[in-house]
Amino acid sequence: MPYIDDLVAGNPALRGLVNWLDDRLDIKGPIDYQLNKNVYAPSISWTNCFGGISFTLFGVQVLTGILLAFYYQPGSNTSFESIKYIMDTVHMGWLIRSIHAWSANLLIGTVFFHMARVYFAGAYKPPREFNWIVGIILLVLTIVIAFTGYLLPWNQLAYWASQVGTHIAGTPPLAGPYVEYFLKGGEDLTTATINRFYALHMLVLPALIGLLIGAHLLMIRRQGPSGGL
Ligand code: HEM
């Protein structure tokens, strides 16, 4: 069984650091627990990879999103120009933007495959009902974060897709018109809309998704994997 003391035994600098941290934060116990936790996996297949792939792609989105935010300027006069600047002038800007866009599409696909795997394996059954519900919320938020990102380039495709999307949000009775007005920040798509979508896209939704992924993984850690396919 691996213990943190054995792992750092051959490296005096690392051993010193671990002991120094352990004196202050008591870290050895929790690390040893994680190192020796037995994960019982009755039958794992390649289809079990989709949850982890989705998690990795979410990380890619956060990283490339932060880099894009260094240059992106929300606003009806600036959004399109700043995207052009990222594509044409910023060093490797085209690559970072393309990775962000491709990985967003892939993420939607892998989350769907992941959900299909969970469904066909019956992994939503007790005791994993809560994690299924957290998963459904994650799916909806993943779609919403993709939708809010779609408007940001402020090109023709983005503009008209957002017209359609916000209109759909406005169709349910009672709350619908208020939701549409809230999303648009008025009657029309304007700079106010871009700012709202941007705030949702790069602050609110990533924070919510990050928290829910944390809860999702904690439950998986506690319950262990189900039988799989
Ligand atoms: C951003 C979205 C998501 C991420 C990052 C994510 C991540 C993961 C990871 C890493 C696992 C463990 C490995 C695996 O079984 O694949 C897992 C398991 C699970 N996920 Fe997700 N997931 C997401 C969305 C969803 C959705 C949409 C659902 C269903 C509606 C869902 C329901 C579950 C359940 C029930 C398990 C336990 C499966 C088992 O024990 O066999 N997840 N998830």
Side-chain angles (χ1 to χ4, degrees), residues 44 47-56 58 107 110-112 114-119 121-125 128-140 142 209 213 216-217 220 223-229:
I44 291 282
T47 57
N48 285 72
C49 292
F50 286 114
I53 296 173
S54 308
F55 180 58
T56 309
F58 178 69
L107 179 59
T110 57
V111 171
F112 265 106
H114 172 55
M115 186 172 73
R117 199 281 300 171
V118 169
Y119 178 75
Y124 53 84
K125 292 180 190 168
R128 297 185 178 76
E129 309 96 311
F130 276 137
N131 229 6
W132 173 261
I133 293 165
V134 169
I136 295 286
I137 302 172
L138 275 171
L139 174 71
V140 172
T142 309
I209 293 176
I213 288 180
H216 201 57
L217 297 182
I220 290 159
Q223 296 165 343
S226 72
L229 281 178

Side-chain angles (χ1 to χ4, degrees), residues 33-77:
Y33 171 77
Q34 294 298 333
L35 284 175
N36 292 294
K37 187 170 160 62
N38 223 344
V39 179
Y40 172 62
S43 72
I44 291 282
S45 83
W46 60 273
T47 57
N48 285 72
C49 292
F50 286 114
I53 296 173
S54 308
F55 180 58
T56 309
L57 288 176
F58 178 69
V60 170
Q61 289 307 89
V62 171
L63 205 70
T64 50
I66 291 173
L67 294 177
L68 289 173
F70 288 165
Y71 293 96
Y72 177 73
Q73 295 173 26
S76 54
N77 292 324

